Amino acid sequence: MAQHKYLLNEDQMPTQWYNIVPDLPEPPPPALHPGTHEPAGPDDFAPLFPMDLIMQEVTQESYIDIPEEVQDIYKIWRPSPLFRATRLEQLLDTPAKIFYKYEGVSPAGSHKPNTSVPQAYYNAKAGVRKLTTETGAGQWGSSLAFACAQFGLECEVWQVAASYALKPYRKAMMEVWGATVHPSPSELTEFGRSLLAENPDHPGSLGIAISEAVAEAAPHDDVRYALGSVLNHVLMHQTIIGEEALLQMEMAGETPDVLVGCTGGGSNFGGLSFPFLREKMKGNMNPTIRCVEPAACPSLTQGEYRYDFGDSAGMTPLMKMHTLGHNFVPDPIHAGGLRYHGMSPLVSHIYELGLVEAESIGQTECFTGALQFAKTEGIIPAPEPTHAIAAAIREANRAKETGEETVILTALCGHGHLDLASYEAFLSGEMVDHELSTADIEAAMAEVPAVRSAH
Amino acid sequence: MAQHKYLLNEDQMPTQWYNIVPDLPEPPPPALHPGTHEPAGPDDFAPLFPMDLIMQEVTQESYIDIPEEVQDIYKIWRPSPLFRATRLEQLLDTPAKIFYKYEGVSPAGSHKPNTSVPQAYYNAKAGVRKLTTETGAGQWGSSLAFACAQFGLECEVWQVAASYALKPYRKAMMEVWGATVHPSPSELTEFGRSLLAENPDHPGSLGIAISEAVAEAAPHDDVRYALGSVLNHVLMHQTIIGEEALLQMEMAGETPDVLVGCTGGGSNFGGLSFPFLREKMKGNMNPTIRCVEPAACPSLTQGEYRYDFGDSAGMTPLMKMHTLGHNFVPDPIHAGGLRYHGMSPLVSHIYELGLVEAESIGQTECFTGALQFAKTEGIIPAPEPTHAIAAAIREANRAKETGEETVILTALCGHGHLDLASYEAFLSGEMVDHELSTADIEAAMAEVPAVRSAH
């Protein structure tokens, strides 16, 4: 049987992140100040982020050195393995070769620590005492809790109340790493108190949790806020996934024909694909590169490309991105990490340039594929990367029809050990594919502000 | 910082299991037929196990080839990594070097698939259609479910009713891999029905679940039973852990001074330690080798060495082992995998020969160490290996006092992603160290049969 694992040693771990921006044929449009609609400058971000991260957000350098302190912590789990899905290929009876880069080996079980660790590092370096953030299902909150523990930072997490009640294990994980976790809305912020006064059983939302985390960070000099996706510097930190995968595909002696990645805010997709897109733009390879999003939240395939807020409360700078409207609330699908109304401005821009494709897949097809994957490859995927697996299986089935030895590469961005309730729902037949409400999208889009700027 | 990971490639994976029996200065006493008290022969085991496994149970060969079909599946996750706990060493401010072999990378998240895979293979080879087993917390049941999926075997698991109700996620994991899971006692066996007639809300026990699994297997020619620890062949399958660790310690340029392993039925401990004990007996190294058991279930340190049954119902052959009495019910500590009344006959024999030591540790010390470990090394340990971690930390603290660069090796036999409720209990202050009841032990020992044989 073909080799199953391609492993790199610690001394082969890439020591730089890749910034795709200078290599693009056109620069991405700037973020705009929410009040003036003029391009936002570093000072506009200073109450939320330390200057090192703000400079990474706008840098024109192609490569940024990974600090040694960050490399040391990355080496707890990095380089991560690249697997060839030999047993899944057998089950599918396909001539395709399926490779997957596995990020579930990280402490938090997902790709998120690739950015939480440097974010905690730069904040600690800037003298910050505490980081705040929001979390839904808990992947990001637990990743930031782990990172803060490494640098002696306090970590305060507002978790969407419905998840806080239904997912006690993610909360325990955050607490193991020393974080304080509040259900959101909470009594700790003015906004939270106002919502609880209206409804003491308010289920919360990501937008509300962001507002509470920001409200705690912005007024304090020694408190900052951390975001787990969407922004340029976050996607850049994730490029270590793709840089490693390039080395590992070379070890395997293969070049991808098709690269698929699940796409919520865009950090997993950008992390895997940007180094390969660089090689494609250089003419070194020619893979089709495709975003895979949930049918219930299809910002790229059905959203509009325009300026919108990053949060539901409309407090962030305006970003030009594919959006379903910042007040759009996706149906409660199991891939909570993909339920974001917008899309990373950088991924949106690259999609507009025609450099990548996009497709959407419903969750029952995703879990059907996930079960095939778990039975053969052994790893139980998180709900988010089941979309990537379903897309890879679609490609493998096409290859079976054409007889081509298509080389498929994807990222399995996390394991599903804390998401087994989703599998229970699927196995019991309770999981459904939600109908997308175009009326809801239209209503949400009507609330997106008209931008006066020329951008 | 020192290197953190020592990785082997697939072509470096050992291709033989190690059988320690022929290397021991005295052979272990035989199992006895429960009725005649005469040494049990292969035929006595034939209703439960296929002949290949029965022969492995009694073989005098030092090495057994791992079948290629088993190696192929091992390679999904093997060779497993050896880590040096550099960040934990820093936290403890110790001159000791702490190494841990990590088995949580397996599909089921523990060391158990090292034996479930060959057990499923040999059963499939013998034409068996279905395997039955019992499970408590679910580690063994999920490992067997995964293995059965690889060879197209049906898998039927009786899960202790209390766990079935409280741990729905392990049940979901088993079902993902295609197993059928019943709460035990069940309506499916005569014994189960009799217990439910007495008490419809019977919480079950491991002993009852074993009886139900055996009752389903024994009468059918195409159904067999699988056990996850205790027996010689199970410990032998686990020696791949220690064989790999030997190669990896060599990569690290270190020889262990102290080896500690958590010990329930004995398979994790035997798997790690037997290859090192071989090297010690050969004079190639001289590590102290120590079993670590829970203070609430101290079969080695406080049990008697005598013939007893392997199950609570008294249906199995009699095995000479350290036992607290087959009707002893340990307090409900969180390390469910260590709550076994007896100890592997082979580990018991080796302990009696003075080749290994033993100590017991209470669970609050274990979880205190686990939190230090999780915060520094990133991995959240399962409750069982928190005992090994606590023992390693004891050694590291001793080294700090003496100033010696003690080299400590242990096995982290599983992750705690499905055990976060235990951490919640610890963090909330609800976890206590149970007092061991010597009266309970005395009462259970009084029910152990007097053996008429000379053994």
Side-chain angles (χ1 to χ4, degrees), chain A residues 141 144-145 154-157 171 173-181:
Chain A
L144 191 66
E154 295 171 43
C155 182
E156 197 165 2
V157 182
K171 173 174 163 281
M173 197 176 219
M174 292 184 252
E175 290 173 347
V176 163
W177 286 317
T180 306
V181 188

Side-chain angles (χ1 to χ4, degrees), chain A residues 310-372:
Chain A
D311 69 324
S312 305
M315 294 166 66
T316 70
L318 289 158
M319 297 180 288
K320 194 158 184 184
M321 61 183 178
H322 287 262
T323 179
L324 297 162
H326 62 277
N327 281 328
F328 178 74
V329 178
D331 275 318
I333 60 165
H334 289 270
L338 305 181
R339 290 179 71 238
Y340 185 62
H341 69 273
M343 175 54 64
S344 148
L346 194 48
V347 171
S348 297
H349 175 62
I350 286 169
Y351 179 65
E352 283 297 310
L353 292 173
L355 296 172
V356 301
E357 304 177 354
E359 71 180 330
S360 69
I361 305 186
Q363 66 180 349
T364 55
E365 179 179 342
C366 293
F367 274 82
T368 302
L371 235 62
Q372 292 182 304

Side-chain angles (χ1 to χ4, degrees), chain B residues 59-398:
Chain B
T59 182
Q60 290 297 314
E61 299 286 326
S62 291
Y63 295 93
I64 302 284
D65 289 339
I66 305 175
E68 278 193 22
E69 294 87 339
V70 172
Q71 290 188 39
D72 278 345
I73 298 173
Y74 274 180
K75 286 176 185 171
I76 291 178
W77 74 97
R78 302 212 73 84
S80 71
L82 177 84
F83 292 102
R84 180 166 165 198
T86 46
R87 303 183 69 81
L88 178 63
E89 291 168 18
Q90 284 184 329
L91 177 75
L92 299 173
D93 189 25
T94 176
K97 298 174 182 174
I98 306 173
F99 292 86
Y100 59 99
K101 178 76 171 161
Y102 183 43
E103 293 293 311
V105 294
S106 84
S110 78
H111 67 297
K112 295 287 183 188
N114 295 332
T115 186
S116 69
V117 171
Q119 288 195 49
Y121 166 75
Y122 289 116
N123 274 285
K125 192 175 154 222
V128 169
R129 173 179 56 87
K130 181 169 79 175
L131 280 177
T132 68
T133 199
E134 75 292 337
T135 201
Q139 287 102 330
W140 170 241
S142 53
S143 299
L144 191 66
F146 162 74
C148 285
Q150 306 314 307
F151 294 105
L153 289 176
E154 294 172 43
C155 182
E156 197 164 1
V157 183
W158 275 262
Q159 184 173 21
V160 175
S163 297
Y164 183 92
L166 287 173
K167 300 222 171 188
Y169 292 161
R170 275 282 176 194
K171 174 174 161 280
M173 197 176 220
M174 292 184 253
E175 290 173 345
V176 163
W177 286 317
T180 306
V181 188
H182 312 293
S184 168
S186 73
E187 295 284 355
L188 297 160
T189 67
E190 196 181 322
F191 186 46
R193 284 189 295 272
S194 73
L195 294 168
L196 289 173
E198 284 171 25
N199 176 7
D201 298 320
H202 199 298
S205 77
L206 219 43
I208 295 166
I210 293 176
S211 303
E212 295 204 284
V214 164
E216 169 64 19
H220 298 109
D221 275 350
D222 59 351
V223 183
R224 288 292 177 273
Y225 166 76
L227 190 64
S229 191
V230 177
L231 299 178
N232 295 359
H233 70 272
V234 178
L235 272 61
M236 188 185 73
H237 296 156
Q238 294 293 354
T239 58
I240 193 164
I241 301 173
E243 295 289 7
E244 286 180 4
L246 270 172
L247 299 174
Q248 289 164 310
M249 289 301 287
E250 201 178 316
M251 284 171 75
E254 301 285 355
T255 308
D257 299 309
V258 182
L259 192 156
V260 287
C262 67
T263 320
S267 77
N268 164 68
F269 175 80
L272 174 68
S273 69
F274 286 177
F276 286 89
L277 183 50
R278 175 189 66 214
E279 298 305 313
K280 182 176 179 170
M281 290 189 291
K282 278 188 192 170
N284 293 333
M285 56 176 70
N286 194 26
T288 299
I289 302 179
R290 190 179 299 133
C291 302
V292 189
E293 52 185 16
C297 193
S299 53
L300 278 172
T301 53
Q302 296 194 45
E304 281 184 49
Y305 184 54
R306 56 183 287 191
Y307 274 99
D308 197 2
F309 294 110
D311 69 324
S312 303
M315 296 166 65
T316 71
L318 289 159
M319 296 179 287
K320 194 158 185 185
M321 59 182 179
H322 287 261
T323 179
L324 298 162
H326 62 277
N327 281 326
F328 178 73
V329 178
D331 275 318
I333 60 164
H334 289 271
L338 305 181
R339 290 179 70 239
Y340 185 62
H341 69 273
M343 176 55 61
S344 148
L346 193 48
V347 170
S348 296
H349 176 62
I350 287 169
Y351 178 66
E352 282 298 308
L353 291 173
L355 297 171
V356 303
E357 304 178 354
E359 71 180 330
S360 70
I361 306 186
Q363 64 179 351
T364 56
E365 180 179 341
C366 294
F367 274 82
T368 303
L371 236 61
Q372 292 182 304
F373 186 90
K375 281 188 181 166
T376 50
E377 294 297 306
I379 301 169
I380 299 177
E384 291 79 9
T386 64
H387 292 77
I389 290 166
I393 290 175
R394 282 184 177 186
E395 282 296 332
N397 288 337
R398 266 180 223 126

Side-chain angles (χ1 to χ4, degrees), chain A residues 25-363:
Chain A
E26 288 176 34
L32 303 182
H33 188 281
T36 65
H37 290 196
E38 290 303 312
D43 287 352
D44 293 321
F45 292 100
L48 295 184
F49 304 112
M51 201 45 71
D52 280 338
L53 289 176
I54 295 172
M55 297 320 290
Q56 287 184 1
E57 186 66 19
V58 297
T59 184
Q60 289 298 313
E61 298 287 326
S62 290
Y63 294 94
I64 301 284
D65 288 338
I66 304 175
E68 277 193 23
E69 294 87 340
V70 173
Q71 290 188 39
D72 278 346
I73 298 173
Y74 274 179
K75 286 176 184 171
I76 290 178
W77 73 96
R78 303 213 72 85
S80 71
L82 178 84
F83 291 102
R84 179 165 165 198
T86 46
R87 303 183 69 80
L88 178 63
E89 290 168 18
Q90 284 184 328
L91 177 75
L92 299 174
D93 188 25
T94 176
K97 298 173 181 175
I98 305 173
F99 291 87
Y100 59 98
K101 178 76 169 162
Y102 183 43
E103 293 293 310
V105 293
S106 84
S110 77
H111 67 298
K112 295 286 185 188
N114 295 332
T115 186
S116 68
V117 171
Q119 288 194 49
Y121 166 76
Y122 289 115
N123 274 285
K125 191 176 156 220
V128 169
R129 173 179 57 86
K130 181 170 79 174
L131 281 177
T132 68
T133 200
E134 76 291 335
T135 200
Q139 286 101 331
W140 170 241
S142 53
S143 299
L144 191 66
F146 163 74
C148 285
Q150 306 313 306
F151 294 105
L153 290 174
E154 295 171 43
C155 182
E156 197 165 2
V157 182
W158 275 263
Q159 183 173 21
V160 175
S163 297
Y164 182 92
L166 287 173
K167 300 220 170 192
Y169 292 160
R170 274 282 176 195
K171 173 174 163 281
M173 197 176 219
M174 292 184 252
E175 290 173 347
V176 163
W177 286 317
T180 306
V181 188
H182 313 294
S184 169
S186 75
E187 295 285 355
L188 297 160
T189 67
E190 197 179 321
F191 187 46
R193 285 190 294 273
S194 72
L195 294 169
L196 289 174
E198 286 171 23
N199 176 6
D201 298 320
H202 199 299
S205 76
L206 260 180
I208 295 166
I210 293 176
S211 303
E212 294 204 284
V214 164
E216 170 63 18
H220 299 108
D221 275 351
D222 59 351
V223 183
R224 289 291 178 276
Y225 167 76
L227 190 63
S229 190
V230 177
L231 299 178
N232 294 358
H233 70 272
V234 179
L235 272 62
M236 187 184 73
H237 296 157
Q238 295 291 356
T239 58
I240 192 162
I241 301 173
E243 295 289 6
E244 286 181 5
L246 270 173
L247 299 173
Q248 290 162 310
M249 289 301 288
E250 201 178 317
M251 284 170 76
E254 301 285 354
T255 307
D257 299 309
V258 182
L259 192 156
V260 287
C262 68
T263 321
S267 77
N268 163 68
F269 175 80
L272 173 68
S273 69
F274 287 177
F276 286 87
L277 183 52
R278 174 189 68 215
E279 298 305 313
K280 181 175 179 168
M281 290 189 291
K282 278 187 190 170
N284 292 335
M285 54 177 71
N286 193 28
T288 298
I289 302 179
R290 190 179 301 133
C291 303
V292 189
E293 53 186 16
C297 193
S299 53
L300 278 173
T301 52
Q302 296 195 44
E304 283 184 46
Y305 184 53
R306 56 184 286 191
Y307 274 99
D308 197 2
F309 294 111
D311 69 324
S312 305
M315 294 166 66
T316 70
L318 289 158
M319 297 180 288
K320 194 158 184 184
M321 61 183 178
H322 287 262
T323 179
L324 297 162
H326 62 277
N327 281 328
F328 178 74
V329 178
D331 275 318
I333 60 165
H334 289 270
L338 305 181
R339 290 179 71 238
Y340 185 62
H341 69 273
M343 175 54 64
S344 148
L346 194 48
V347 171
S348 297
H349 175 62
I350 286 169
Y351 179 65
E352 283 297 310
L353 292 173
L355 296 172
V356 301
E357 304 177 354
E359 71 180 330
S360 69
I361 305 186
Q363 66 180 349

